[in-house]
Amino acid sequence: LIRPGTQVAVTFLPGEEMSQRVEAAVLVRELGFEPIVHLSARRFTSEAELDQYLSDITTKAGVKRVFIIAGDPPEPEGPFQDSLQIIETGLLEKHGIEIVGIGGHPEGHPNVSKADLWVWMENKIAAIRERGMTPLVVTQFAFDDDAIIEWLKEMRERGIDVPVRLGVPGPAGIKRLLGFAKRCGVGASANVMKKYGISLTNLIGSAGPDKLVASLDKGLTPELGRVRLHLYPFGALTASAEWINKYAEKH
């Protein structure tokens, strides 16, 4: 169902062994896709562990792309508090990483002010470029097309010209979508969900991103730069792959 060469994220979830994450990256590569390996800064227990992990994913899975987040733990499990500290170790370029993804938050962040989010983004992009790598922004998933477009406009007005992957919720059960939205601090008001095609008075059934993607397609004008979509499948990988293929056939 998935086209050869498609970029597939390999997440960094709690309760997993490092070896499992490496095996997942290897499998993605063996299946003919391009692994984008997530690095959760606060989950690394030491710089040596990060060094070894990068060595394993690059030598065994040919990884060239990573995506760095601070991660969920309120307190770091090792020396890294945030993703900028990972970039500044010099280990990414040491292991031949070429493209470094960082997070974007069209609807804001529960623990960081809007002004600080832009400063952090600019600092991380500068640090990535200083080390000879290419920056990429991948956003948290969102349901609100207006918020996404406004955030993207502000980004370009600030002179931030990097490519962007807009996070879009893949087709999933309505309760599942709302559950992930709550866990991730994503806005899911009645008005926003209505635009997405969900009524909060009827949580039975499933929903897909057709309305959201159609609206983004209209709003993404050339001056907003290089933008693509990143689907969050929430475990429903088959449904997301089928949705992509059906959408491609229609358009």
Side-chain angles (χ1 to χ4, degrees):
L1 289 170
I2 305 175
R3 295 180 193 177
T6 294
Q7 295 170 35
V8 176
V10 179
T11 53
F12 200 101
L13 301 175
E16 298 170 337
E17 298 291 332
M18 283 295 186
S19 59
Q20 291 174 293
R21 297 172 180 136
V22 174
E23 286 167 12
V26 169
L27 180 61
V28 168
R29 174 66 72 196
E30 287 176 348
L31 290 171
F33 309 125
E34 185 67 36
I36 302 181
V37 175
H38 288 202
L39 305 175
S40 181
R42 294 181 187 179
R43 293 196 193 282
F44 284 102
T45 57
S46 67
E47 188 167 319
E49 185 178 57
L50 170 64
D51 193 11
Q52 185 61 55
Y53 186 57
L54 289 168
S55 174
D56 287 344
I57 60 173
T58 51
T59 57
K60 297 176 183 178
V63 169
K64 297 291 184 186
R65 301 164 186 247
V66 295
F67 172 69
I68 315 177
I69 51 170
D72 296 329
E75 295 297 326
E77 295 169 17
F80 305 118
Q81 176 77 32
D82 54 61
S83 47
L84 182 58
Q85 290 174 319
I86 296 270
I87 297 163
E88 290 175 337
T89 62
L91 292 174
L92 299 176
E93 63 267 37
K94 170 189 168 184
H95 289 287
I97 297 299
E98 296 174 359
I99 296 176
V100 180
I102 58 172
H105 300 85
E107 296 184 345
H109 190 286
N111 302 322
V112 186
S113 72
K114 185 180 175 184
D116 284 347
L117 283 172
W118 291 120
V119 172
W120 275 103
M121 182 184 285
E122 288 166 349
N123 289 345
K124 285 184 275 192
I125 288 169
I128 292 164
R129 285 178 166 158
E130 280 168 14
R131 288 160 176 78
M133 298 175 290
T134 300
L136 172 75
V137 172
V138 185
T139 77
Q140 174 62 284
F141 72 92
F143 297 103
D144 189 343
D145 54 335
D146 292 330
I148 294 167
I149 295 296
E150 285 305 311
W151 172 85
L152 200 50
K153 282 180 181 174
E154 183 170 353
M155 183 179 176
R156 298 316 189 198
E157 285 165 3
R158 287 174 173 272
I160 303 172
D161 61 348
V162 303
V164 175
R165 295 272 162 75
L166 294 177
V168 170
I174 293 170
K175 285 185 179 177
R176 191 173 183 82
L177 287 170
L178 293 174
F180 272 97
K182 188 176 181 182
R183 273 170 55 186
C184 300
V186 171
S189 68
N191 286 341
V192 167
M193 298 313 287
K194 189 176 179 182
K195 285 163 60 177
Y196 188 73
I198 293 175
S199 167
L200 296 187
T201 58
N202 180 13
L203 301 183
I204 298 168
S206 60
D210 296 78
K211 275 189 174 182
L212 174 61
V213 172
S215 180
L216 289 173
D217 192 35
K218 289 178 186 173
L220 290 171
T221 50
E223 65 267 20
L224 296 182
R226 293 169 290 170
V227 180
R228 298 171 76 181
L229 300 184
H230 171 74
L231 258 74
Y232 286 82
F234 305 123
L237 197 58
T238 301
S240 287
E242 288 174 340
W243 182 88
I244 290 168
N245 292 339
K246 285 175 186 171
Y247 191 89
E249 282 171 18
K250 285 183 198 170
H251 304 82

